[in-house]
Amino acid sequence: MSTPILAVREVVRTFGGLRAVDGASFDVEQGSITALIGPNGAGKSTLFNVVSGFLSAEGGSVQFEGRRIDRAPSHRIARRGLVRTFQVPRTLTRLSVLDNVLLAASGHPGERLSGLLLRPARARAYERKTRHRAHELLELVRLDKHAQDYAGVLSGGQRKLLDFARVLMTEPRLVLLDEPMAGVNPVLGRQLLEHVLQLRAEGGMTFLFVEHDLAVVMEASDRVIVMNEGRVIASGTPTDVRSDERVVDAYLGVVPPT
Amino acid sequence: MSTIASFGFWSFVGIVAGIYTLFALGVQVQFGFAGLLNFGHVAFMGIGAYTMAILVVKEDMNMWAAAGCGVLLAMLGGVLLGLPTLRLRADYFAITTIAFSEILRYVATNEDRLTGGSQGTINLAGIGKTAQYDDQWRSFLGSVESGLHVGGDVAMLIVVWTVALLAVVAVWLMMKTPWGRVLKSIREDEDAAASLGKNVFAYKLQALVVGAALGAIAGLFYAWQFSYFSPDDFAPLLTFFAWMIVILGGLGKAWTVPVGAIVFGVIFAGTRFFDFPPFSLLDSTERAYLRLIVIGLVIIGLMLFRPQGIFGSRREMVLE
Ligand SMILES: Nc1ncnc2c1ncn2[C@@H]1O[C@H](COP(=O)(O)OP(=O)(O)OP(=O)(O)O)[C@@H](O)[C@H]1O
Ligand SMILES: [Mg+2]
């Protein structure tokens, strides 16, 4: 087996006395679509925050493409190609929808004062290219009609889609999606899922996503990681996990649909 | 002729408004665009003015070179202020900036050998030897006067406003670039910006330094306009004037700053002419305080009825 793109080892993160993540370990394979599931409060979002550098780990380690990232600042992790969305979308409401996506472009020479002053033509050319790509992505999530509107006018579901477009704009290698379909209208949610499958197939992108809708999890993911009370209690293929007793217990007897 | 109709008086108001435009533009970059609560902005003005004056008087430096050094030193001051503090929470940063400007003012008051002390730059060359740093400025202004066939006040008015409007245009252009977009994103939500790979700290530092340069340029004009100055000219009140201007005009836009500065200047100067009852019952010092009360009332009224400022966008204000 090749080295995993993400290796989480014995990660611990507490809030006061609460052990939100309590020694969680798992791998995400290169090119996979991996689901992270677990009941409310299991520590999924906290784990995302640790992996993406928004919270420090109090123990354990995180490796991305073979390199430790558990001490790296969040922006550097993102630049390396590990980009995340938030459970509550972080829409920049007073920027236009288009600007939200443009902002996400990586390596933009126009974002540096030196690049702007010394090589303005290059910065402009890059901005044109970025604009083109941003419009494509907005079309993909059906927000192109709103490109010039303030992002603050978007609904909750549309904001999730905007976050998704933004993440893709960064040209990531590993994408962490925290409940990407929550609040998204089912038709668009389905399309989003198809985009994920397609991006994996064409671009070799890897996805790790948190999702409560088990039907979606079973359908879309290659592997499932189950968390409960800060620990990983099971992992494997969707079929393996579905029949795992500990998983059924953690979900209080709610048998996942087939 | 009464003062209210005097051209000299109003051109003075115009010059001060131009200087305030440059000064407040720094706050607009730092707060209006990058969300930094800098309550010590006046420090940059002081660094610019004092560096220029000291280098001219004590080192016989060319005044323009000295002015350049003043701006550079203020920018360095921005870096030194920002490095340890910009990672702090916004409110702690705000407190540190006031401390920064007040510490510099006390140092300037007490280090009389460097700064001339509390009596100001007049003592820069030693007590009793009236020091002047603006000979070169006077001759420059003289050539503007004769070149344009205008009086001294008008020449100053033209020079100040040319520089101020160039700065406004420069900031406006900068904010339309991808660099400006990143600044605004940080103002909106630093975590979102960081999650997309933006180095929030580096951008905040840059905004602080750009604002510091604008503050220092304002300080230079302040020095040239008033021919001599002292540490007390750089009291925190001046920083708050800049904030009032930015709030009056509207946040997050470059061109609202000159509008805010003019409105502020007119209210400030206009209260001098409240010589009718009941104001005529007040003596002149009391009337001087009255202007602050009027400005305070205008701001309160604005917050109630136009919280976005005179020209700010209401729609931006209500978005969540
Ligand atoms: N910043 C915080 N401060 C204190 N407690 C926190 C903080 N963030 C999370 N917690 C707590 O940590 C635990 C794990 O929360 P987390 O958000 O990671 O769960 P989750 O698995 O994402 O749940 P959900 O499915 O509801 O999103 C919860 O008990 C939560 O209340
Ligand atoms: Mg969560």
Side-chain angles (χ1 to χ4, degrees), chain A residues 5 92-93 99 103 116 131 161 200 216 223 225 248 253 257:
Chain A
I5 189 167
L92 302 162
T93 55
D99 275 345
L103 174 75
L116 278 176
R131 246 165 222 280
L161 293 167
R200 189 265 300 266
V216 169
R223 292 185 62 79
I225 296 159
V248 178

Side-chain angles (χ1 to χ4, degrees), chain A residues 13-16 18-21 36-49 55 87 178-179 210-212 227 229-230:
Chain A
R13 173 69 207 202
T14 61
F15 296 110
L18 176 77
R19 303 183 73 83
V21 177
L36 178 61
I37 65 170
N40 293 117
K44 307 179 294 293
S45 297
T46 305
L47 188 73
F48 268 24
N49 285 334
L55 286 175
Q87 183 165 354
D178 201 344
E179 305 195 15
V210 172
E211 181 54 60
H212 282 293
M227 275 185 84
E229 296 179 347

Side-chain angles (χ1 to χ4, degrees), chain A residues 79 90 93 103 111 127 150, chain B residues 181 197-198 203 316 320:
Chain A
R79 275 194 210 164
R90 290 298 184 90
T93 55
L103 174 75
E111 286 182 359
E127 179 74 355
Y150 281 117
Chain B
R181 191 163 62 213
K198 311 306 168 199
Y203 280 96
E316 277 197 21
E320 283 173 32

Side-chain angles (χ1 to χ4, degrees), chain A residues 54 74-75 78-79 83 86 90 92-95 99 102-103 105 108 110-111 113 116 127 150 152 159 166, chain B residues 174 177-179 181-182 184-185 188-189 191-192 194-199 203 206 313 315-316 319-320:
Chain A
F54 282 88
S74 49
H75 70 270
R79 275 194 210 164
V83 188
F86 294 85
R90 290 298 184 90
L92 302 162
T93 55
R94 270 167 268 214
L95 264 56
D99 275 345
L102 290 173
L103 174 75
H108 198 318
E111 286 182 359
L113 285 178
L116 278 176
E127 179 74 355
Y150 281 117
R159 290 179 189 204
R166 237 168 36 178
Chain B
M174 296 246 286
T177 65
W179 181 82
R181 191 163 62 213
V182 178
K184 286 186 218 157
S185 78
E188 294 299 301
D189 186 339
D191 282 350
S195 80
L196 299 171
K198 311 306 168 199
N199 186 344
Y203 280 96
Q206 290 171 38
S313 151
R315 283 186 61 214
E316 277 197 21
L319 293 170
E320 283 173 32

Side-chain angles (χ1 to χ4, degrees), chain A residues 9-29:
Chain A
R9 291 287 171 275
E10 298 296 327
V11 166
V12 175
R13 173 69 207 202
T14 61
F15 296 110
L18 176 77
R19 303 183 73 83
V21 177
D22 190 10
S25 301
F26 63 86
D27 286 346
V28 174
E29 296 307 323

Side-chain angles (χ1 to χ4, degrees), chain B residues 31-82:
Chain B
F31 180 70
F33 294 126
L36 298 177
L37 290 164
N38 175 10
F39 291 139
H41 191 49
V42 72
F44 300 129
M45 193 181 205
I47 294 175
Y50 263 107
T51 306
M52 185 272 298
I54 291 169
L55 288 176
V56 169
V57 173
K58 297 199 180 233
E59 306 295 327
D60 256 334
M61 198 187 257
N62 175 297
M63 187 199 71
W64 301 109
C69 290
V71 175
L72 286 179
L73 206 66
M75 292 168 81
L76 184 68
V79 173
L80 292 180
L81 169 66

